[in-house]
Amino acid sequence: MRIVFAPAPTGSGHNMRSLALARELRRQSPDAELTVLLGSLQPTFGPLFEAAGVKTVDIAGGLVDHATSSNLTRELDWQSYIKGYVAPAFVNGERVLGYLSHYQDLAPDLVVSDYNISASMAAAIAGVPHALVTERYDFTLLQIDDPTLEAAGFHVDREDLRRGRNSLHTVFDWIVSTAEIVLTDKPYVPELDAGTSVAAALATGRAVFTGPMIREIPERSDGSAVRASLGLGPGPLMVGSVGGTSMFWENKQRVIESYILAHRRLKRLHPDLQLVLLGREWVEAPDDVVVLTYLPDWMPLLQEADVLLSAPGWITVTEVAALRVPTVFVLSSLAEYHEVEASDRLGRLGFPSLIAPAADQLADAVRPFIGARSGVPSSAHLAIAPEGRGTARAAALLADAARTARSGSRPVEGALR
């Protein structure tokens, strides 16, 4: 059984989810031939995939990291948004050709695309059986309207975006319709998802909500050892995480500042309150803040935390839901349009979910969680992770799809040669 993973290169979450599925597939099917076509954060994720027994192919040729610079301008029209951003990042003709060439060389029984539009397009064109793993029910632009974009400070050419939405929906709907199976870790919310491509697939059974497709959850470790390793004392602990891909770099700086100011205000009531800031790159912070540029395994830290402050990136959402971590989600600005839908969804599911909060507002949202962690899951945790990890179920479904293809109903090699 040969399975090729193709995570989207636009954020670390896609790599994380593919890695979790690959590890679980390796456990369930030790003899499977697993390959990942890795297009971002290669120094970090390459060794992790290799350690999991996954052959790693660097398809970018140089480090790609979308977390350290802006990715959009304030102009949203065909030229700037479709040609300047969507086409290079998602619907990329050169990448389609590249994926086609790799499929020809690897002859996979199944391609597993984690919201990698170009990789899915290549599989559909070639007739290669493919699975779509996605936290999106449709292309991102389809689930945010023009007034919201304008409120975020974008200059919107509504006619260009109408045409863009129609085209992107057609592509996404085609990918969903040609996939052997669609797996999602995002629970259906009618007000947000009715009429989308994935909602239609869920209704017919071609898509499955699996719950969190995440790595193994460790047993609760020695908390004092975890704290000592980071220079932390025994007092209450808040963790502030900065998101991965950012549309505007300055929004990351703004949310970091809000975490630090909220911490300062909360220390008036809790003088021993500690803040660990996960910044993805070095940031200036007061001496009483522990700054980490990257923590390969943050689960032991989260198990110690009273509360997490985080951008609403979905892989983070699924991990904290499975871990039952009290979390306040913070969207730095409506201009981070790719996470507006997630922010809205989290609020509807019952999480505190704030957009560009002032420091006092953020401190007020965090305050009830300090010293109050019980380990009992909230209704919001259960909505996203009803049974904890969903990785084993998701991996089994992918293996079944690959075996079906290998049995001859969709002859991969014949389609490619």
Side-chain angles (χ1 to χ4, degrees):
M1 179 170 62
R2 295 186 296 272
I3 295 178
V4 170
F5 290 91
T10 53
S12 60
H14 301 291
N15 288 342
M16 287 294 301
R17 193 161 42 196
S18 292
L19 177 61
L21 290 170
R23 283 174 170 165
E24 182 61 29
L25 272 165
R26 173 61 67 222
R27 187 188 70 79
Q28 293 183 15
S29 305
D31 296 331
E33 297 178 30
L34 305 180
T35 302
V36 61
L37 304 178
L38 189 59
S40 66
L41 300 171
Q42 301 94 318
T44 299
F45 283 95
L48 294 174
F49 276 105
E50 293 285 356
V54 182
K55 178 183 176 182
T56 303
V57 180
D58 181 353
I59 61 169
L63 174 62
V64 174
D65 185 352
H66 291 277
T68 57
S69 61
S70 299
N71 288 279
L72 283 185
T73 70
R74 290 289 176 179
E75 302 297 324
L76 288 186
D77 53 25
W78 192 276
Q79 184 73 19
S80 65
Y81 182 75
I82 301 298
K83 183 177 180 180
Y85 174 62
V86 171
F90 296 99
V91 189
N92 185 312
E94 185 275 331
R95 284 190 194 158
V96 170
L97 294 174
Y99 286 119
L100 283 169
S101 70
H102 286 297
Y103 301 162
Q104 290 169 343
D105 292 339
L106 296 167
D109 297 309
L110 186 74
V111 168
V112 180
S113 161
D114 192 308
Y115 195 63
N116 187 330
I117 305 302
S118 297
S120 294
M121 290 175 64
I125 289 168
V128 176
H130 65 102
L132 177 64
V133 177
T134 179
E135 79 276 19
R136 304 289 183 187
Y137 274 65
D138 208 324
F139 209 92
T140 310
L141 189 63
L142 272 295
Q143 291 195 276
I144 186 169
D145 58 22
D146 290 339
T148 301
L149 292 170
E150 289 165 346
F154 289 108
H155 306 294
V156 176
D157 185 317
R158 293 193 172 200
E159 176 59 16
D160 278 3
L161 290 200
R162 180 194 67 79
R163 294 170 55 233
R165 285 188 178 94
N166 288 342
S167 299
L168 292 169
H169 173 73
T170 299
V171 170
F172 195 82
D173 190 60
W174 171 54
I175 289 169
V176 169
S177 69
T178 58
E180 303 295 307
I181 190 168
V182 177
L183 304 181
T184 184
D185 50 13
K186 184 172 277 187
Y188 175 77
V189 174
E191 298 88 345
L192 300 176
D193 304 322
T196 62
S197 301
V198 172
L202 284 168
T204 62
R206 292 188 56 258
V208 179
F209 169 64
T210 63
M213 289 177 265
I214 60 172
R215 55 192 153 165
E216 299 85 353
I217 297 175
E219 294 293 328
R220 186 69 181 262
S221 58
D222 180 358
S224 60
V226 173
R227 288 171 177 262
S229 69
L230 298 173
L232 299 169
L237 174 63
M238 58 188 281
V239 176
S241 174
V242 179
T245 300
S246 182
M247 297 300 103
F248 294 96
W249 184 83
E250 61 267 24
N251 290 332
K252 294 183 68 173
Q253 309 313 303
R254 189 176 299 116
V255 79
I256 289 169
E257 181 180 353
S258 72
Y259 290 171
I260 292 171
L261 290 175
H263 175 239
R264 185 176 300 165
R265 283 160 171 73
L266 289 164
K267 286 192 71 171
R268 297 169 186 168
L269 290 176
H270 303 278
D272 56 348
L273 178 64
Q274 302 160 100
L275 170 61
V276 174
L277 181 61
L278 304 176
R280 296 295 296 269
E281 57 186 327
W282 184 254
V283 297
E284 293 293 331
D287 292 340
D288 61 349
V289 175
V290 175
V291 176
L292 302 174
T293 57
Y294 190 72
L295 190 62
D297 184 2
W298 72 339
M299 287 186 177
L301 175 62
L302 293 186
Q303 289 172 329
E304 281 297 299
D306 291 61
V307 61
L308 169 71
L309 286 64
S310 176
W314 202 255
I315 193 67
T316 296
V317 171
T318 56
E319 287 195 348
V320 301
L323 283 165
R324 315 310 194 195
V325 180
T327 305
V328 176
F329 289 101
V330 183
L331 184 63
S332 58
S333 166
L334 281 175
E336 298 301 312
Y337 86 101
H338 61 304
E339 291 179 338
V340 168
E341 169 267 316
S343 177
D344 185 5
R345 186 181 304 267
L346 289 165
R348 292 172 186 268
L349 293 175
F351 281 103
S353 187
L354 309 177
I355 298 176
D360 286 339
Q361 182 187 8
L362 181 55
D364 288 343
V366 171
R367 186 175 294 110
F369 297 108
I370 303 301
R373 183 163 179 177
S374 66
V376 177
S378 67
S379 59
H381 289 134
L382 293 172
I384 294 168
E387 299 176 1
R389 291 175 75 233
T391 320
R393 183 187 183 199
L397 289 168
L398 293 175
D400 286 345
R403 292 189 188 101
T404 298
R406 191 171 181 82
S407 70
S409 60
R410 294 282 297 274
V412 178
E413 291 154 309
L416 287 171
R417 296 178 181 177

